[in-house]
Amino acid sequence: MTRIYGSGAQDLAQAADVLAHGGILAVPTETVYGLAAHALDEKACRRIFEIKGRPLIDPLIVHIHDLAGANRLAHWNEWADSLAKAFWPGPLTLVLPKKEVVPPLVTAGLETVAVRMPRHPLLRKLLIKCNLPLAAPSANPFGYLSPTRPEHVLKSFGQKLEHLLNGGPCQIGLESTVVDLSQPHRPAVLRPGPVGPEDISEILGIEVLVETESRMAATTDEKVHSDTRGKPSPGLLHKHYSPGTPLVVLPCQDWTSQESPTKRIAKIAYRKPDQAELSRSSDMFWLTEDGDEQQAAHGLYDLLHKLDSLKFDLILIEPAPEGGLGTVINERLSRATSLKPDTIG
Ligand code: TXA
Ligand code: MG
């Protein structure tokens, strides 16, 4: 049985104790749940990889409580200072040259380390209580959808997970933006996220590059696996964030092309369809009532988790309008499926 901790002082003290003794604890963040361990305890971090089934070439993000914590792990620079002032605590991860103290396992042998100061109040309390840097990837089996509720974590890991800190549903629902600040003159977004590239560029006063999905998609998983060093973000394997049910991203007007009398298909519109449309089709779902992008982001993984457990044969989802979080949603969807509509039998 997984032991579940709440927000009371005694529970927090016990959860901190788990981490101090090399245990693994699922934790809430404002983005998605993470699978946390003491980042400087190599043995504990190895367990994270084992529980997730994550290849050792995929480095972990280290969560810290304050700037001093970040400074202990990474060689700080002016860009980091400006971005931390603007966006921390929050959904932004900074990749910086690592200091000796960080075990190579955590950074998958890279000379850089990813650090993030999360904003979730309960996780912040835990970070203060345990006074440790916490390595934490998203708390999902490797390649599967990220969890945005404690139930998702419990369902994915079952008995494998001994401890979970319950912080309720995650506020944002999409993983943090990862930005590489380790190359002089060349800041680059490695994973788009809630903090947009234009916001980062504005703060830095220099245009940030965006390592797009199309660039990663051109690289096969195998190539990424065999050629990790020097790759901007080894974790950006092509197929990622996927539900078990085949998922196809398709504009609504093309949905009929996928219909068949033998298939149960769930259809996800971006925005709630009108009554006429709803009465025409069954198994319709939507991400937002009125087009609010934060609501759409917040509910995306939760809905996919739910539909996955309902065992449809196929999930069709309309792309989000481009821009802001819509672009991030589309990027995640493009990685949640490597299936093209015409390859679905
Ligand atoms: O919102 C988030 O970032 C969540 C919560 C738990 O904080 N964490 C998360 O971790 O999404 P994970 O491990 O699922 O994704 C981390 C990403 C991966 O794509 C990984 O390759 C990249 O960050 N990353 C980590 N360290 C890196 C490094 N040193 N250089 C380049 N990319 C790195
Ligand atoms: Mg992940």
Side-chain angles (χ1 to χ4, degrees):
M1 275 281 280
T2 308
R3 169 96 199 264
I4 299 177
Y5 302 84
S7 56
Q10 205 185 346
D11 275 24
L12 270 178
Q14 286 174 356
D17 219 42
V18 167
L19 294 164
H21 289 93
I24 307 293
L25 174 77
V27 295
T29 86
E30 71 277 24
T31 57
V32 301
Y33 270 74
L35 208 52
H38 177 2
L40 307 185
D41 180 339
E42 188 161 345
K43 203 167 146 212
C45 292
R46 194 172 289 280
R47 283 280 295 143
I48 295 180
F49 286 93
E50 283 166 13
I51 294 176
K52 255 189 89 97
R54 178 168 176 136
L56 293 173
I57 59 157
D58 195 352
L60 308 178
I61 294 175
V62 184
H63 300 70
I64 41 79
H65 166 62
D66 56 12
L67 291 182
N71 257 291
R72 271 195 286 279
L73 307 172
H75 293 284
W76 207 239
N77 60 33
E78 269 180 39
W79 282 343
D81 223 31
S82 311
L83 291 180
K85 276 202 184 94
F87 302 111
W88 278 4
L92 179 69
T93 297
L94 307 179
V95 172
L96 291 159
K98 87 186 239 329
K99 288 189 175 166
E100 193 80 25
V101 65
V102 183
L105 181 83
V106 170
T107 64
L110 297 173
E111 288 308 314
T112 52
V113 61
V115 285
R116 172 161 115 77
M117 187 192 290
R119 151 176 108 200
H120 194 292
L122 189 56
L123 179 55
R124 288 186 65 72
K125 279 190 190 160
L126 178 74
L127 282 164
I128 294 171
K129 186 82 200 162
C130 69
N131 196 23
L132 299 169
L134 297 180
S138 52
N140 50 281
F142 182 69
Y144 191 61
L145 290 172
S146 290
T148 57
R149 291 176 178 272
E151 305 87 275
H152 301 158
V153 182
L154 293 171
K155 189 155 176 250
S156 299
F157 290 114
Q159 302 296 327
K160 273 206 261 179
L161 181 69
E162 288 176 58
H163 307 278
L164 177 139
L165 178 64
N166 184 353
C170 302
Q171 187 207 354
I172 298 176
L174 292 173
E175 304 83 352
S176 65
T177 305
V178 179
V179 58
D180 182 5
L181 302 178
S182 68
Q183 309 290 321
H185 318 298
R186 194 178 169 280
V189 170
L190 305 182
R191 178 174 71 183
V195 178
E198 55 298 323
D199 302 325
I200 295 171
S201 300
E202 193 184 318
I203 296 292
L204 296 183
I206 172 174
E207 195 168 343
V208 68
L209 299 172
V210 180
E211 299 287 344
T212 62
E213 168 57 18
S214 55
R215 182 191 160 286
M216 294 309 292
T219 321
T220 65
D221 289 6
E222 212 177 315
K223 173 92 168 60
V224 176
H225 272 289
S226 64
D227 184 16
T228 309
R229 261 168 199 276
K231 278 275 177 289
S233 201
L236 294 181
L237 303 181
H238 178 38
K239 193 164 188 316
H240 216 76
Y241 310 111
S242 309
T245 313
L247 176 79
V248 174
V249 186
L250 205 62
C252 302
Q253 64 267 24
D254 299 332
W255 284 355
T256 47
S257 68
Q258 298 297 311
E259 272 168 14
S260 121
T262 56
K263 273 193 292 196
R264 265 184 76 228
I265 304 179
K267 286 159 268 178
I268 309 176
Y270 180 73
R271 205 179 166 139
K272 184 177 180 181
D274 58 28
Q275 272 313 322
E277 176 61 32
L278 283 177
S279 53
R280 264 199 306 276
S281 30
S282 55
D283 297 326
M284 276 294 297
F285 304 86
W286 51 90
L287 296 182
T288 114
E289 296 283 322
D290 55 9
D292 179 75
E293 60 169 27
Q294 290 189 14
Q295 190 186 42
H298 175 75
L300 174 70
Y301 289 153
D302 190 31
L303 181 58
L304 291 176
H305 274 280
K306 182 171 126 195
L307 296 182
D308 214 16
S309 63
L310 294 177
K311 303 282 174 225
F312 283 93
D313 298 307
L314 176 67
I315 302 171
L316 297 176
I317 184 164
E318 176 186 21
E322 277 294 320
L325 289 176
T327 304
V328 182
I329 290 173
N330 290 339
E331 190 271 347
R332 297 298 192 272
L333 289 176
S334 75
R335 287 204 270 133
T337 173
S338 52
L339 298 168
K340 296 277 172 292
D342 54 6
T343 65
I344 305 280

